[in-house]
Amino acid sequence: MIRNWGLKNKFVTVFLLLITLPTFIIGCIIYYQTTTVFKQQAEKNAVDKLEKNEDNLTSLIRGIENMSSYMIYEKNFRTFFTATEEDLTQAEYKEAVAGINGYFTFQLMSHSYIDSILLVANDGHVLEIGSHLIGNEVSMNQGARELEGRPYWSNTYQVIENGSAKKNVVSLTRVINDINHINTPIGMVRIRLDESKLYKTIESNSINQTGDYFVLNKKGEVVLHQNPSLAGKPFPDSKITGWILNGKNKTLKTKADQSDYLLVKKAITGTDWVSIAMVNEGEVVKSLYNVRGLFVFMILLLLALGALAFVGFYQSFIRRIVELTKQTKQLGEGDFSAKVQISSQDEIGKLGLRFNQMVTTIQNYINREYKLKIKQRESELKALQSQIDPHFLYNTLDMIRWTARLEKAMETGQLIERLSKIFRMNLNMGKMWVKVEEEIHYIQNYLELQKSRIGNRLNYSIFYDDQIKDIYIIKQILQPLVENSILHGFKNLPRQGVIQIRMFKVDEEIWIDVIDNGWGFKSEKQDEDDKRKGGYAIPNLIDRLEMAFGEEAKFELLDSLAGTWIRLKLPISENDNRNLIPNETGE
């Protein structure tokens, strides 16, 4: 079925199936895969953010816990916690306090997020280093006693610094047990951490990570957040709070402010805290989206270029071929106005040019055929002057000729025979092309009849090259020239009129000379009203030559010392000229 499709349908099908459709499918696959990769990248960023900050926070927590554990084993701290009221004035106690102060000063200077450290011995004496803070910390003491020496981390709570300023802190409270009697408490330590500085420390260690990080307790209250005003309060998003408290999945996707967010959670060991990393998927993969957009642009550009190439190729080639096919069909239906517009000189343009030339050639052949037939028919009608049956004429002349012979009028019979041959040549069964030899015989009979009519006032000679005797030419091209010489050139001529006829081959042409010694064309070149040009014989002959041979046929009037010298130059066709005009029969 496809074989019978038109070129246009085939081209459109090939373009859609092999260019447009594959490009579209590949584009969709690339778009889908890049989108999937981008989502995976967003999730990876969230997990990386969580893991990095969780590691940072865990490291800080472990550092603070190790600091409290150090107090169990270190001599100065044991001295402080086990001292009695009488020992407070002893040098050993003071030396131990000095060592503790030096240790805590070093810690405060090394870790900016440590706000203050409070030591409380069982007998009630207290040592506080750093900012003096006042806050409700009773529940923390109770929680630490319940853990019996294990670290107790509080949630974020508000304290008053130096009697006026408020700040949020997170604290570690721990009961210090006697190293020799592990279940016997000797005191308590509380290390307070500045919530804002702690958060900044965690974030500063993950500056290459994108997204937000915060810590909630398992009640949904904020422990650490980049917005200090939320610290110690329930998290404002109930959906996230519900996911923290009851969600089984480690990830959550939510939408806020027309943006898509991805959250990842992880519990912090040793606390009731949960760390959460939240990333804006759009911001995380913004640069990647640019790459995806570039892919989309390239695909659209390829489709646009493909469409442009389709239109250009169609206009440059397919449309011209379709138009050529249309014009060929039009020519096949007999419409010779078919013509192809030539817009370029490529192979299709050359094909269209040759098509136009072929149409013109065929049209010229047809015009030449019909015009020649019309001219010939007019000539025959003028010659006959009536609708005489040619067969009746031939038979009648033949009867008269034999009658003359029976009466022994041989010359009269010969003249009648010549006239009969002339009539036969005129009609020639409708043929328009004759051999050179036949044309010579015709003009000989014509001249003999004219010589019989005007006597010694006419003489002639004929020469023709034997190698051209079988070449075809249109008939009766000599008779108008000879008749013109006799009627006009020899009229009232004071001497004998002589006509010379010569026919010979020159290159690929036949040259025909008709020369007389008559009055000549003394002013015909300037005066078109001259008598000798007033007839129709020579103009009709020139028209017939042009129609039969085109511009290649030439009619020349040569200079002559006396009389007229006319030369015809006719091309010799490689094919038989008779093929140009079909023979037809007629009466």
Side-chain angles (χ1 to χ4, degrees), residues 424-481:
R424 287 181 183 274
M425 182 68 175
N426 280 338
L427 296 177
N428 197 23
M429 298 299 289
K431 297 179 181 178
M432 300 181 185
W433 298 84
V434 296
K435 294 180 180 180
V436 169
E437 189 175 38
E438 293 174 338
E439 179 69 9
I440 292 297
H441 290 163
Y442 171 81
I443 201 62
Q444 282 180 330
N445 289 321
Y446 178 80
L447 286 168
E448 287 297 327
L449 286 176
Q450 290 290 355
K451 190 174 181 180
S452 298
R453 183 175 65 85
I454 61 178
N456 292 330
R457 290 188 296 129
L458 173 64
N459 197 5
Y460 70 90
S461 63
I462 298 175
F463 165 80
Y464 68 95
D465 193 344
D466 187 65
Q467 63 177 331
I468 66 171
K469 66 178 181 179
D470 292 325
I471 294 178
Y472 281 86
I473 59 175
I474 58 173
K475 68 181 181 181
Q476 296 181 343
I477 60 174
L478 294 174
Q479 188 269 339
L481 301 176

Side-chain angles (χ1 to χ4, degrees), residues 480-527:
L481 301 176
V482 171
E483 182 181 25
N484 194 70
S485 295
I486 295 173
L487 294 180
H488 301 287
F490 298 162
K491 186 177 182 180
N492 300 323
L493 187 68
R495 58 184 178 274
Q496 183 186 44
V498 179
I499 297 175
Q500 298 179 54
I501 298 174
R502 299 184 301 193
M503 300 178 69
F504 48 94
K505 180 181 178 183
V506 178
D507 295 330
E508 296 301 319
E509 292 181 331
I510 295 177
W511 288 14
I512 302 174
D513 288 345
V514 178
I515 307 170
D516 67 46
N517 64 344
W519 293 107
F521 288 98
K522 55 184 178 180
S523 62
E524 290 81 357
K525 294 181 181 179
Q526 294 81 25
D527 184 9

